[in-house]
């Protein structure tokens, strides 16, 4: 999950902080601390999602059982602070030995030599993972991340609210118009219920609507912005229209005061496009009877969802490189991925385990996320993604807040993106 972690760290500050520590990892005696016969080693493992911590702890414990000299200390940093703190830690040489990495940051961290390459490690095997995930974590022919999971986006809905309003549940055949019509019927201001929540979140909402309209956030060669494409504008207009035209979504300010996923979990929102990674939140929500369907098709029948995924990486300045590699190697095994799958927290990256994940929570039609793989489009990235996503999100915040005209704002985003992409 990248939503909050992506937008809250400035790109310029990140590049500067990393540049201060752009040195490789020198060999040392401690680099083999994880091998048999050596003394005890404690590795730090940096993550940002509290919902996934139990599964990560179970994997860490299983690894320790087979590697008794290596203990894993999980460091949970809230996603709002994760990248900022990681930048500072990387610059000072104190980053976790192993930590989560996103597709949006891999180019920066690998390019600044903050990560160890895994390609030349003994026993390295990336064959169990989708090529798209391996490729995105590869820079100049070397792979720096062991794929951990992947995610798509679905249309979550509140069954109680649908039943009360006499509205049929969403299906895979739904279109934008079906969503608009349902949202209007479900909207009930008197009861404090919104038909849908449509925030300016990119992964869960805007990138998908742009693609469904036939547009694109970035060109396939990652060299130009797609925000100034008229079809991209149409996708943004559809998403913004729930607030400004149909008045069936909370306002930007209301979704700032209480995040839309929390509004949905509390029964205040009938529909919400969200990733599979928030399923544990909805499962734990008291009184919520929810389910999920595939995202709707755009005006020309085009279906699309972005696909993304995290990876585990090794800090270049770790004092326990061998132990860290052994841990990451374990995290890439079928055993570890099955632990993730059975807990239902995220879809494991390991090929063939999606059915285990789907079966983990039978009350939801989680197969909806898997069924969209044929329509999935890689999450938009470049060599320094954060350099343009930060000003992009700032402009989107102004648009959604009614402080910037959509057409003007889209041109501003495209110009800023193109300027940053030209530097790459």
């Amino acid at each position: 999950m990248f939503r909050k972690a992506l937008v809250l760290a400035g790109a310029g500050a990140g590049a500067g902080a990393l540049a201060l520590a752009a040195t490789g990892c020198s060999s040392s005696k401690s680099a083999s601390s994880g091998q048999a016969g050596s003394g005890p080693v404690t590795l730090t493992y940096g993550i940002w999602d509290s919902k996934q911590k139990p599964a990560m702890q179970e994997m860490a414990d299983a690894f320790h059982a087979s590697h008794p000299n290596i203990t894993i200390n999980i460091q949970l940093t809230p996603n709002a602070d994760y990248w900022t703190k990681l930048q500072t830690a990387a610059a000072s040489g104190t980053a976790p030995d192993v930590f989560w990495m996103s597709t949006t940051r891999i180019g920066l961290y690998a390019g600044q030599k903050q990560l160890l390459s895994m390609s030349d490690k003994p026993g390295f095997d990336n064959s169990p993972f989708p090529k798209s995930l391996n490729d995105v974590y590869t820079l100049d022919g070397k792979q720096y991340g062991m794929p951990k999971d992947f995610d798509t986006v679905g249309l979550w809905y509140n069954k109680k609210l649908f039943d009360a309003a006499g509205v049929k549940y969403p299906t895979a055949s739904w279109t934008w118009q079906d969503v608009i019509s349902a949202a209007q019927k479900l909207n009930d201001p008197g009861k404090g219920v919104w038909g849908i929540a449509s925030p300016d979140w990119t992964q869960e909402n805007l990138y998908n609507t742009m693609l469904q309209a036939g547009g694109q956030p970035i060109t396939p060669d990652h060299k130009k912005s797609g925000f100034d494409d008229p079809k991209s504008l149409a996708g943004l207009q559809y998403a913004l229209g729930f607030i400004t035209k149909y008045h069936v979504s909370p306002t930007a300010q209301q979704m700032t005061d209480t995040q839309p996923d929390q509004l949905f979990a509390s029964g205040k929102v009938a529909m919400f496009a969200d990733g599979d990674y928030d399923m544990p939140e909805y499962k734990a929500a008291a009184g919520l009877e929810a389910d999920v369907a595939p995202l709707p098709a755009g005006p020309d029948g085009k279906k699309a969802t972005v696909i993304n995924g995290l990876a585990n990486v090794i800090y270049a300045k770790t004092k326990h490189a061998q132990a860290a590699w052994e841990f990451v190697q374990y995290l890439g095994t079928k055993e570890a991925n099955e632990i993730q799958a059975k807990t239902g927290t995220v879809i494991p990256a390991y090929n063939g385990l999606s059915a285990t994940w789907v079966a983990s929570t039978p009350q939801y039609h989680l197969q909806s996320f898997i069924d969209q793989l044929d329509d999935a489009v890689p999450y938009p990235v470049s060599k320094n993604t954060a350099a343009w996503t930060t000003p992009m999100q700032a402009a989107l915040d102004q648009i959604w807040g009614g402080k910037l005209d959509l057409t003007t704002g889209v041109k501003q985003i495209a110009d800023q993106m193109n300027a940053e992409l030209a530097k790459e």
Side-chain angles (χ1 to χ4, degrees):
M1 180 182 66
F2 304 95
R3 173 207 312 147
K4 310 176 192 81
L6 170 63
V7 301
L8 293 174
L18 288 176
L20 294 175
T23 58
C25 178
S26 58
S27 60
S28 65
K29 292 181 181 180
S30 60
S32 61
S33 297
Q35 294 178 325
S38 62
V41 168
T42 296
L43 296 176
T44 51
Y45 182 30
I47 70 173
W48 69 64
D49 187 1
S50 61
K51 295 187 293 293
Q52 294 191 51
K53 186 176 180 181
M56 299 304 103
Q57 188 62 60
E58 187 175 347
M59 286 186 278
D61 293 342
F63 173 77
H64 178 67
S66 60
H67 298 72
N69 277 351
I70 307 176
T71 300
I72 308 301
N73 176 21
I74 296 178
Q75 294 182 343
L76 174 66
T77 302
N79 46 31
D81 303 318
Y82 182 85
W83 294 111
T84 302
K85 290 188 176 181
L86 184 61
Q87 289 164 4
T88 302
S92 63
T94 59
D97 299 291
V98 176
F99 55 91
W100 284 1
M101 177 53 58
S102 75
T103 57
T104 60
R105 302 282 176 156
I106 186 65
L108 179 63
Y109 278 77
Q112 294 284 3
K113 303 186 186 303
Q114 289 299 309
L115 308 176
L116 291 183
S117 166
M118 298 180 184
S119 301
D120 54 357
K121 296 292 184 183
F124 173 73
D125 180 15
N126 65 2
S127 62
F129 308 106
K131 183 178 183 299
S132 60
L133 290 181
N134 287 324
D135 288 349
V136 78
Y137 286 106
T138 298
L139 186 70
D140 297 328
K142 293 186 176 182
Q143 188 162 337
Y144 291 89
M146 184 72 77
K148 172 188 173 295
D149 55 50
F150 76 85
D151 48 73
T152 57
V153 180
L155 182 63
W156 287 91
Y157 59 96
N158 185 310
K159 295 167 71 173
K160 281 186 178 179
L161 295 179
F162 270 73
D163 291 343
V167 179
K168 293 183 178 179
Y169 297 157
T171 68
S173 65
W174 268 32
T175 65
W176 281 5
Q177 188 55 54
D178 290 315
V179 176
I180 293 170
S181 298
Q184 291 175 317
K185 295 174 183 176
L186 292 158
N187 200 59
D188 191 343
K191 294 183 178 179
V193 172
W194 299 96
I196 192 170
S198 186
D200 64 348
W201 291 359
T202 50
Q203 180 175 352
E204 293 79 5
N205 199 17
L206 306 189
Y207 286 163
N208 301 304
T209 61
M210 292 167 73
L211 291 164
Q212 290 157 10
Q216 55 189 358
I218 194 171
T219 56
D221 60 7
H222 310 291
K223 292 183 178 180
K224 290 194 66 178
S225 172
F227 270 80
D228 50 359
D229 183 328
K231 292 184 177 180
S232 295
L233 177 61
L236 295 170
Q237 288 173 328
Y238 163 74
L240 184 59
F242 288 114
I243 298 174
T244 60
K245 182 178 180 180
Y246 305 110
H247 308 291
V248 293
S249 168
T251 64
Q253 185 58 56
Q254 288 169 324
M255 289 185 284
T256 298
D257 295 340
T258 306
Q259 292 193 139
D261 54 332
Q262 296 171 346
L263 289 172
F264 179 78
S266 63
K268 299 298 183 181
V269 164
M271 291 183 289
F272 179 49
D274 200 6
D276 53 87
Y277 37 76
D278 275 340
M279 180 273 291
E281 175 185 351
Y282 302 146
K283 181 181 177 181
L288 177 65
E289 293 183 15
D291 208 341
V292 63
L295 292 177
D300 295 327
K302 183 175 177 56
K303 297 182 73 69
T305 174
V306 291
I307 183 172
N308 212 340
L310 302 185
N312 290 296
V313 298
I314 302 173
Y315 181 42
K317 287 188 174 182
T318 176
K319 296 179 180 179
H320 312 293
Q322 178 59 29
W325 165 238
E326 291 179 22
F327 179 50
V328 169
Q329 194 174 21
Y330 170 76
L331 293 176
T333 63
K334 185 176 182 180
E335 175 188 346
N337 278 264
E338 282 181 330
I339 292 174
Q340 279 197 115
K342 290 176 181 177
T343 60
T345 48
V346 291
I347 308 173
Y350 201 99
N351 289 325
L353 292 184
S354 61
T356 303
W357 175 77
V358 169
S360 69
T361 315
Q363 64 264 46
Y364 299 138
H365 289 91
L366 297 182
Q367 187 64 35
S368 297
F369 293 105
I370 309 303
D371 289 344
Q372 295 182 96
L373 286 176
D374 288 342
D375 302 311
V377 178
Y379 189 89
V381 296
S382 66
K383 290 183 179 179
N384 191 7
T385 310
W388 51 266
T389 54
T390 301
M392 174 199 73
Q393 190 62 54
L396 289 171
D397 288 346
Q398 286 189 308
I399 294 169
W400 251 246
K403 300 176 182 178
L404 182 62
D405 172 72
L406 177 60
T407 303
T408 303
V410 163
K411 185 180 185 304
Q412 177 181 314
I413 291 172
D415 289 344
Q416 290 174 329
M417 277 186 68
N418 288 329
E420 292 298 336
L421 291 170
K423 297 176 184 178
E424 298 182 3

